[in-house]
Amino acid sequence: MTTRSGKVFNDGKADINMNSPGKNGRAEKSDRIFYIVFASLVLDLLAFTVILPLLPGLLDHYSQNDSSGLYNVLKNSVSGFRSLVGAPDNARWNSVLFGGVIGSLFSLLQFLTSPIIGAASDVYGRRPLMILCMIGIATSYLIWAVSNSFLTFVIARIVGGISKGNVSLSTAIVTDVSSPQKRGKGMALIGVAFSIGFVFGPSIGAGISILTKADDAAVAYMIPALFSLTLALADLIFIYVFLEETLPTNKRLQSKNVLSHAIEYINPVSLFKFSSVKKLSATESSKVQSLGAIYFIYLFIYSGLEFTLPFLMHDRFSYTSVQQGRMFFFLGFVMALVQGGYTRRISPGKESKIASHGILILMPSFVMMAYASSTWFMYLALTLFSFASATVVPCLTTLVSTYGGDNEKGTIMGIFRSLGALARAFGPFWASAVYWSFGPNACYIQGALILLLPMYQIYKQVKAETKRSTFM
């Protein structure tokens, strides 16, 4: 029997039917899903970011207590990279570079799995894949909690990276239930969730480490891991109880050969061409590929220079770890304000223009960072940096979500997320090499100049959209 909420799915949860009568009912339903996704991501990102301030201490702990030998192998590799790019040989920067390697590994795994998870959700539905991802994420925190060697800790990060498809699934869910007029609001809420997670998660992690003060370092690090595990389990229960299926059975992709197409999903050439998305016209395919290239280049530069920012603040202003934490809190706070008060109110059709404004603002921000000699001037540059952070990615995500049929949204969003992960995997290596080889001025000026490429590409889209609206 079909109810107002749609057909009953085989696990007892109701498929959401956005074609059901009543405009107000559909709007309320989409808003409810938006806030469910938002709450889920807040829980997930708080759990994910708890580890960030603990990572240097964790690495120090495993440097003295690793029976697997993996720590020394990676340490030698990082030392070789440090020597190659001319970075100073001291414990602080070695730790930062080591942390960058761990972060890049996590991003590479997301690059490999996001399009596969997204494509699988087009076949089997969003809800089962979301639950599966959350089980994997919770498992990764459990492994971290019991890790007694660096190898076990790395395995925990690998499991977490493989399972981190919940973000691209969240964007696909928002796309499923939203009209073009409300889609920007949903994407902005996802951005706000990220800001909240990255503002408060590290603070919670630092607070837990101060309060626990266990004599046994292994026990001290087990407590934050158990905290993250608790949040992940709460998120899993929350999703199971409240998240309804948003992709009805009759709108799903019929082919179930997801794994047989895995090579195509993770082939960088195929990803940039969005080859797995079959139902695009030549014009649409060209626009989607352009958006993917813009997104990749932007995040490649952004993530790289974001990674070198602690080096710059330490070298130029002698910032301590506490001052660095305050700086990142400021960045996250401004981002949350912009996303919550401005980005979510962007009118449909203006996403390209706002994204172009964000990139345009980011370029002088990098130039200002290159030559800033006072903290107030640097914080002015960081404010511009935060505005770009809060607008460009949500707008590009909203734009790409408008393409493809209902049964390919997961694939499109998974590929898009994967391109971002690939950029975040290699951006820090590029920026570190330029920073230590040629200095911070050259690094940040070069970043600003490279942003001219995505700026030109998105300017062409804005021009085309303006011309089209003129003739309508």
Side-chain angles (χ1 to χ4, degrees), residues 272 287-300 355 359 392 396 416 451 453-459 461:
F272 277 102
K287 289 180 179 178
V288 169
Q289 289 175 33
S290 177
L291 287 170
I294 291 168
Y295 181 59
F296 175 82
I297 298 171
Y298 167 80
L299 268 185
F300 180 84
I359 297 174
V392 177
L396 292 178
F416 197 66
L451 284 178
L453 294 173
M455 184 68 213
Y456 173 70
Q457 284 294 105
I458 202 164
Y459 171 75
Q461 291 216 7

Side-chain angles (χ1 to χ4, degrees), residues 276-341:
S276 301
V277 185
K278 307 298 184 183
K279 298 180 180 179
L280 295 176
S281 67
T283 302
E284 289 175 329
S285 181
S286 176
K287 289 180 179 178
V288 169
Q289 289 175 33
S290 177
L291 287 170
I294 291 168
Y295 181 59
F296 175 82
I297 298 171
Y298 167 80
L299 268 185
F300 180 84
I301 300 300
Y302 175 89
S303 63
L305 297 189
E306 182 186 43
F307 179 75
T308 62
L309 195 53
F311 295 99
L312 180 66
M313 299 303 286
H314 177 77
D315 291 342
R316 190 169 293 171
F317 303 111
S318 301
Y319 261 34
T320 64
S321 297
V322 173
Q323 289 171 310
Q324 300 273 16
R326 289 173 183 166
M327 177 192 69
F328 281 108
F329 183 89
F330 172 80
L331 291 173
F333 181 73
V334 174
M335 286 172 59
L337 287 179
V338 174
Q339 287 168 331

Side-chain angles (χ1 to χ4, degrees), residues 130 135 295 353 406 453:
M130 183 69 89
I135 292 173
Y295 181 59
K353 183 180 289 187
D406 292 332
L453 294 173

Side-chain angles (χ1 to χ4, degrees), residues 389-406:
S389 304
T391 55
V392 177
V393 170
C395 286
L396 292 178
T397 305
T398 301
L399 283 169
V400 82
S401 71
T402 62
Y403 293 95
D406 292 332

Side-chain angles (χ1 to χ4, degrees), residues 365-389:
S365 166
F366 287 154
V367 175
M368 292 166 68
M369 289 179 187
Y371 295 103
S373 58
S374 62
T375 53
W376 74 264
F377 192 70
M378 176 60 80
Y379 266 79
L380 178 59
L382 291 174
T383 302
L384 300 179
F385 179 85
S386 300
F387 179 85
S389 304

Side-chain angles (χ1 to χ4, degrees), residues 14-36:
D15 285 349
I16 289 180
N17 183 0
M18 294 307 292
N19 296 318
S20 59
K23 182 177 180 181
N24 291 336
R26 292 197 301 273
E28 290 174 3
K29 190 172 290 184
S30 65
D31 283 344
R32 186 176 74 251
I33 295 297
F34 286 174
Y35 289 114
I36 289 172

